[in-house]
């Protein structure tokens, strides 16, 4: 049984509270947020006891803590949790930057705690089916990989908060790309970028508006990554893997399409059941994305954000 404390009760924190309350083997023991009004609102809405500090969460009756704060606070909280002997589930990206990420990885050394990253994409049945079809050769030899993301608004209309659109903490490169980089890493191994171009607005405090990057996988498969915001179309996320016999497209997180030679693409809608993130945590699964893997993804993020 997982007993978990939550630090950070913003939009992301609230979403995982809803998710956890659907899990039979997870109990939320306590929640904390530095904004007292928001903390009271979440506590009353979901019936969760409030903490007065991060330390109160960490020294309550829990065996996991979920860090749902903006990235700048991840390292400090993770160090405290590791020192307290609490297993850590962290929101992505791992940290504010690579340096903080390295601090987080170092903090768990010798403390015998388990770590996991919140990458829900990894636990979607469509994604597991996509991975299976790639690995068993169903689409033939993979010759190209593409990630294309289009956002009419950033921050997205449902995700308005003070930091999600900031250059120091937010942006779609930090918020969206880690999900797909983690998937690419699991499917194809280490990624090596060969070039990139990022566009920032004139306002020095605002996040990126566009990025294009090229690179190669461990097996020298070329990949293309693009993202753009503030454009006149509906939001669209496409992760495509091109094979010599077919093409697989993961669209908008969970719709999986397959195209075979000379045929129209077909929606795939029959999937095997997949354990949830919290079932994997409860079972101490080796499939969990740990801090070391999260740091690899953090290096990709830092590279792309550099002008």
């Amino acid at each position: 049984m997982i007993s978990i404390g939550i630090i950070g009760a913003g939009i992301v924190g609230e979403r995982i509270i809803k998710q956890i309350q659907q899990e039979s083997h997870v109990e939320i023991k306590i929640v904390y947020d530095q904004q007292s009004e928001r903390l009271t609102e979440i506590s009353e809405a979901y019936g969760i006891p409030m903490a007065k500090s991060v330390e109160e969460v960490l020294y309550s009756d829990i065996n996991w803590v979920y860090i749902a704060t903006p990235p700048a606070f991840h390292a400090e909280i993770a160090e405290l949790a590791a020192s307290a002997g609490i297993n850590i589930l962290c929101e992505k990206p791992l940290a504010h930057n690579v340096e903080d990420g390295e601090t987080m990885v170092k903090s768990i050394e010798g403390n015998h705690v388990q770590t996991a990253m919140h990458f829900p994409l990894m636990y979607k049945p469509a994604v597991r089916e996509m991975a299976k079809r790639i690995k068993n050769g169903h689409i033939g030899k993979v010759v190209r990989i593409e990630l294309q993301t289009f956002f009419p608004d950033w921050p997205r209309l449902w995700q308005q908060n003070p930091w999600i659109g900031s250059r120091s903490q937010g942006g779609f490169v930090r918020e969206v790309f880690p999900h797909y980089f983690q998937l690419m890493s699991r499917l194809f191994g280490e990624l090596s970028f060969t070039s990139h171009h990022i566009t920032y607005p004139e306002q020095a405090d605002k996040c990126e508006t566009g990025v294009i990057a090229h690179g190669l996988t461990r097996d020298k498969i070329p990949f293309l990554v693009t993202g753009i915001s503030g454009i006149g179309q509906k939001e669209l996320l496409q992760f495509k893997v091109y094979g010599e016999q077919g093409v697989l497209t993961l669209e908008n997180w969970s719709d999986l399409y397959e195209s075979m030679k000379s045929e129209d693409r077909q929606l795939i809608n029959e999937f095997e059941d997949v354990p949830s993130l919290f079932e994997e945590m409860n079972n101490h699964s080796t499939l969990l994305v740990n801090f070391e893997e999260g740091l690899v993804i953090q290096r990709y993020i830092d590279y792309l954000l550099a002008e």
Side-chain angles (χ1 to χ4, degrees):
M1 181 74 176
I2 293 173
S3 55
I4 193 167
I6 295 177
I7 298 174
I11 295 170
V12 173
E14 183 174 9
R15 292 181 78 177
I16 206 165
I17 286 171
K18 292 178 180 179
Q19 181 182 346
I20 289 173
Q21 291 189 335
Q22 303 301 312
E23 300 273 348
S24 60
H25 50 282
V26 186
E27 181 181 5
I28 304 174
K29 291 282 193 174
I30 197 164
V31 61
Y32 171 73
D33 193 282
Q34 63 180 1
Q35 297 184 15
S36 58
E37 186 176 334
R38 174 65 174 175
L39 177 59
T40 300
E41 176 187 335
I42 291 296
S43 175
E44 293 178 351
Y46 297 96
I48 305 169
M50 292 185 292
K52 296 179 181 178
S53 66
V54 168
E55 288 77 10
E56 184 178 348
V57 174
L58 298 177
Y59 290 95
S60 59
D61 183 23
I62 61 172
N63 50 38
W64 280 88
V65 63
Y66 172 50
I67 303 174
T69 66
F73 303 99
H74 290 184
E76 178 183 359
I77 297 170
E79 284 188 281
L80 292 171
S83 296
I86 304 297
N87 299 319
I88 309 165
L89 172 64
C90 187
E91 189 55 46
K92 51 78 202 133
L94 177 65
H96 173 56
N97 53 33
V98 168
E99 290 73 23
D100 277 4
E102 290 173 341
T103 296
M104 292 173 70
V105 170
K106 187 175 181 180
S107 73
I108 64 174
E109 295 176 1
N111 282 310
H112 306 292
V113 297
Q114 188 174 9
T115 62
M117 299 291 300
H118 184 215
F119 283 119
L121 193 66
M122 302 296 292
Y123 304 94
K124 287 184 176 291
V127 171
R128 294 289 179 91
E129 181 65 24
M130 184 182 202
K132 183 174 73 174
R133 293 186 183 218
I134 292 168
K135 289 179 180 291
N136 69 14
H138 184 75
I139 62 171
K141 180 182 177 182
V142 175
V143 295
R144 180 180 292 183
I145 305 153
E146 292 182 2
L147 171 63
Q148 300 187 69
T149 62
F150 306 93
F151 304 97
D153 300 287
W154 191 276
R156 291 166 285 188
L157 298 182
W158 59 268
Q159 201 177 19
Q160 301 290 317
N161 64 45
W163 62 271
I164 202 72
S166 73
R167 192 171 304 193
S168 63
Q169 295 292 302
F172 55 81
V173 171
R174 282 192 180 97
E175 283 297 300
V176 175
F177 281 21
H179 295 282
Y180 293 95
F181 286 156
Q182 180 58 47
L183 177 57
M184 291 168 68
S185 181
R186 283 285 177 98
L187 289 173
F188 304 107
E190 183 179 358
L191 308 178
S192 298
F193 289 89
T194 55
S195 66
H196 88 292
H197 176 76
I198 191 161
T199 305
Y200 287 103
E202 292 183 2
Q203 302 98 311
D205 62 332
K206 298 299 182 183
C207 68
E208 74 279 355
T209 56
V211 66
I212 298 175
H214 298 86
L216 297 171
T217 70
R218 180 180 55 200
D219 294 328
K220 307 303 181 184
I221 303 169
F223 66 83
L224 167 68
V225 173
T226 69
I228 190 168
S229 63
I231 56 170
Q233 73 161 70
K234 189 175 181 180
E235 180 173 315
L236 178 64
L237 309 176
Q238 287 187 321
F239 175 62
K240 303 185 75 170
V241 178
Y242 296 82
E244 291 181 337
Q245 303 301 319
V247 177
L248 290 166
T249 303
L250 181 68
E251 195 163 283
N252 294 333
W253 303 106
S254 57
D255 292 330
L256 181 60
Y257 296 89
E258 182 178 75
S259 306
M260 304 306 285
K261 279 192 173 182
S262 304
E263 297 179 7
D264 293 333
R265 75 174 191 171
Q266 300 291 324
L267 177 66
I268 300 170
N269 50 28
E270 293 186 6
F271 306 111
E272 297 178 0
D273 290 336
V274 173
S276 72
L277 166 64
F278 295 98
E279 288 175 310
E280 299 280 32
M281 287 164 57
N282 196 47
N283 294 330
H284 303 283
S285 171
T286 57
L287 293 177
L288 292 171
V289 179
N290 59 28
F291 278 8
E292 287 83 357
E293 281 192 82
L295 180 57
V296 171
I297 305 307
Q298 186 71 53
R299 296 187 192 281
Y300 303 154
I301 299 304
D302 281 21
Y303 170 81
L304 291 183
L305 290 174
E307 294 185 74

